[in-house]
Amino acid sequence: MTWKWVNVICTLLSLFTSVVRNTQDKIVNEEESMANCADFNNTTYEKYRQMKGVYVQYLLLTRRNADCASLFTQDCLNHTQNHTVHFNSTLPTKVIIHGYRVLGRKPSWVSGLAQALLEKEDANILVVDWLCGASYAYNNVVDNYKEVAVQISILINQLSTSGVNLELFHLIGISLGAHVAGFVGTLFKGKLGRITGLDPAGPMFKNADPFDRLDPSDAMFVEAIHTDSDKFGISIPVGHVDFFVNGGLDQTGCVQSSFTSIYGYVICDHMRALHVYMSALNGFCALTGFPCSSYEDFLAGQCTSCGGVFNNICPKIGLLKNSGITASPLPVNGKVYLLTTSEVPFCVHHIVIELKVSQLIKTAVVLLTLVSMQDIKTEQKLYLNTDRTIYKKVVGHPEPLCKIESIHLKNEGALLYRQGNIHFEYICVSTIPKMRRTDTLCVENIMISRRTPWSHDFIQVC
């Protein structure tokens, strides 16, 4: 019996040793494999300054090598090197172009964007690495962007000569990279399929000639997502469709304080365009824009449809052809607005609050709260004046209207300087774009006083 158990134990130890050895070999092989993966140039800042010209290299990712980029150069177009076998000339090619970089730090977001694109569409992902030219003082980097564009255009031209259709190219430029993409499009006289600008850089470009910045003539379809128009991003429309997220200014969740992190204070708004775009690619929800002349008019409920040049189709952020627009010809510099939450997935349902109040003797401040079945609350302060009776306001709520469980009102303000009793002839909340008659909820004949909160429950079924 003793020897029998000794044999069993020895057999188990042998199996365990074999598993450990195989696991170690697998880890070593994976480490060796990852070591052979291409990456951004890690040249030091001191060496950048010694280099002449702008050094550009390309990293290729596809569904076949999604976790291990291969180096893709102009010499690789004959497909004799093993690391280019993944490129498929019949598939769309997405070209990701970063912008200004601090001291040559490689962009940490590239992998996430590439993976999101590959999840959504089978394509070649070419990541442009121009860290060597993007890491000087900003004005010097701007001097380099056209040279980078020329080098990219040479590669695209060679791919085109090899049979790749120019319409299959989709350039995605972040910040200054958006203008690099625009100049590439200029060199191809607008024949590229699509350009997406993620908060295109504003400094030194807002007053530039369209030839020198991203504009609608640079591709068959040009779109831009604006999230930092008052600082690092550009404030003017530069595409066929320009999405101004939360007005294109301060983004929810980006704390504007010198006591927060450098990221939170400096580039959170600027980089929100990238994260909103990635969220749309991941399919969490439809991020829909509404055409309007200004953000103020949009918030005031004056732009609740997508008529006019948009043919009643609201453009959506993502990879839909022409952002879902079917209008022909395409609009030019079509400004659209949308609201988001403060974090991924940024989804909100746009809800219009409309109310009619009886004539007031004094001004009033009313806090209106929408509460969903999940106890998610959206609050909106309404400032009522003596010279108006009808008010409209657009708000964003994470849940659809059919999940709004109740509405609450509270009359706020000082006892002596604000209206006491307030009579609402009606309050209606509706979703936009309005698709059905049930997309509107109304309550009539409401009286609230300063000391008595009011609420009303809805019976809803989604």
Side-chain angles (χ1 to χ4, degrees):
M1 289 294 294
T2 301
W3 284 108
K4 179 180 179 181
W5 282 108
V6 169
N7 288 332
V8 169
I9 291 172
C10 289
T11 301
L12 291 175
L13 286 173
S14 176
L15 289 172
F16 177 75
T17 302
S18 176
V19 169
V20 170
R21 185 181 296 111
N22 290 336
T23 301
Q24 290 175 336
D25 290 343
K26 183 178 180 181
I27 291 173
V28 170
N29 290 335
E30 288 179 352
E31 288 178 346
E32 290 178 350
S33 176
M34 293 303 291
N36 293 325
C37 297
D39 200 355
F40 278 82
N41 197 306
N42 62 355
T43 305
T44 63
Y45 181 66
E46 288 73 18
K47 289 185 178 180
Y48 286 159
R49 300 182 63 182
Q50 298 172 7
M51 299 178 88
K52 295 181 179 180
V54 177
Y55 177 77
V56 179
Q57 69 172 9
Y58 307 92
L59 311 178
L60 173 66
L61 290 164
T62 69
R63 286 184 173 178
R64 295 175 62 188
N65 67 318
D67 297 320
C68 183
S70 60
L71 194 62
F72 191 88
T73 66
Q74 295 171 23
D75 296 330
C76 299
L77 298 181
N78 56 19
H79 296 278
T80 57
Q81 283 96 338
N82 290 331
H83 56 255
T84 62
V85 296
H86 301 304
F87 187 88
N88 186 334
S89 61
T90 65
L91 294 178
T93 297
K94 312 287 184 182
V95 183
I96 299 174
I97 310 171
H98 67 77
Y100 172 78
R101 303 303 302 170
V102 178
L103 297 180
R105 293 179 58 186
K106 73 176 185 179
S108 59
W109 45 262
V110 165
S111 177
L113 176 57
Q115 298 304 321
L117 288 166
L118 289 174
E119 282 288 328
K120 197 71 175 179
E121 185 176 8
D122 191 7
N124 308 298
I125 309 294
L126 284 177
V127 180
V128 180
D129 170 11
W130 63 290
L131 287 180
C132 292
S135 303
Y136 301 95
Y138 180 76
N139 60 316
N140 291 333
V141 174
V142 171
D143 290 338
N144 291 332
Y145 87 100
K146 285 187 178 179
E147 183 178 345
V148 176
V150 168
Q151 292 199 33
I152 296 172
S153 68
I154 292 173
L155 176 65
I156 292 177
N157 185 63
Q158 292 190 358
L159 289 170
S160 175
T161 303
S162 301
V164 180
N165 191 332
L166 288 178
E167 294 184 16
L168 292 179
F169 282 96
H170 177 191
L171 276 56
I172 303 169
I174 292 83
S175 189
L176 182 55
H179 300 300
V180 175
F183 197 68
V184 174
T186 295
L187 295 173
F188 283 96
K189 299 181 179 180
K191 295 180 181 179
L192 299 179
R194 185 172 189 163
I195 294 177
T196 299
L198 301 180
D199 207 39
M204 301 181 68
F205 287 97
K206 179 179 178 180
N207 298 316
D209 187 278
F211 179 83
D212 297 318
R213 61 163 173 80
L214 181 64
D215 80 281
S217 69
D218 292 332
M220 297 177 68
F221 180 67
V222 178
E223 62 190 336
I225 302 174
H226 302 261
T227 54
D228 193 27
S229 299
D230 57 343
K231 293 186 180 68
F232 297 109
I234 200 165
S235 59
I236 60 174
V238 293
H240 292 101
V241 178
D242 287 71
F243 296 89
F244 286 84
V245 180
N246 299 309
L249 301 171
D250 297 334
Q251 300 301 308
T252 55
C254 290
V255 180
Q256 299 299 312
S257 169
S258 58
F259 297 102
T260 58
S261 67
I262 294 298
Y263 176 83
Y265 182 58
V266 178
I267 63 170
C268 178
D269 290 339
H270 193 40
M271 294 303 293
R272 180 62 61 86
L274 168 70
H275 298 298
V276 166
Y277 187 64
M278 288 172 58
S279 180
L281 293 175
N282 288 326
F284 291 113
C285 63
L287 291 166
T288 304
F290 297 87
C292 203
S293 59
S294 71
Y295 187 50
E296 291 72 25
D297 287 348
F298 170 67
L299 292 179
Q302 298 182 24
C303 308
T304 58
S305 67
C306 293
V309 296
F310 286 91
N311 269 357
N312 295 315
I313 295 179
C314 298
K316 295 178 175 60
I317 296 175
L319 290 181
L320 287 175
K321 182 179 179 181
N322 298 344
S323 293
I325 302 169
T326 58
S328 180
L330 288 169
V332 176
N333 297 150
K335 298 172 69 174
V336 300
Y337 297 90
L338 66 153
L339 302 173
T340 67
T341 60
S342 60
E343 56 188 20
V344 175
F346 305 110
C347 305
V348 299
H349 296 267
H350 292 88
I351 294 176
V352 179
I353 300 169
E354 181 176 350
L355 57 90
K356 184 176 182 179
V357 61
S358 297
Q359 192 71 44
L360 299 177
I361 300 174
K362 299 178 181 179
T363 60
V365 179
V366 175
L367 179 65
L368 185 148
T369 306
L370 301 176
V371 183
S372 72
M373 298 175 184
Q374 304 297 323
D375 200 35
I376 299 174
K377 298 179 180 180
T378 295
E379 295 184 340
Q380 180 65 52
K381 277 194 175 182
L382 303 172
Y383 295 88
L384 311 180
N385 300 316
T386 58
D387 58 348
R388 290 178 61 189
T389 58
I390 297 178
Y391 298 82
K392 292 178 73 175
K393 190 74 174 179
V394 173
V395 299
H397 191 78
E399 296 283 349
L401 185 65
C402 64
K403 291 188 178 181
I404 299 296
E405 192 173 51
S406 60
I407 182 172
H408 301 254
L409 292 174
K410 183 180 179 182
N411 184 4
E412 297 188 331
L415 292 174
L416 297 177
Y417 302 105
R418 299 292 186 187
Q419 181 80 24
N421 296 331
I422 305 174
H423 176 249
F424 293 94
E425 296 185 27
Y426 65 81
I427 295 179
C428 291
V429 290
S430 58
T431 186
I432 56 171
K434 190 174 181 180
M435 306 296 291
R436 305 163 299 176
R437 293 182 61 186
T438 54
D439 286 342
T440 301
L441 303 173
C442 292
V443 186
E444 297 180 344
N445 195 22
I446 305 162
M447 180 68 74
I448 63 172
S449 63
R450 185 178 289 107
R451 300 182 183 276
T452 308
W454 175 92
S455 64
H456 178 81
D457 295 334
F458 297 109
I459 299 176
Q460 293 277 68
V461 178
C462 279

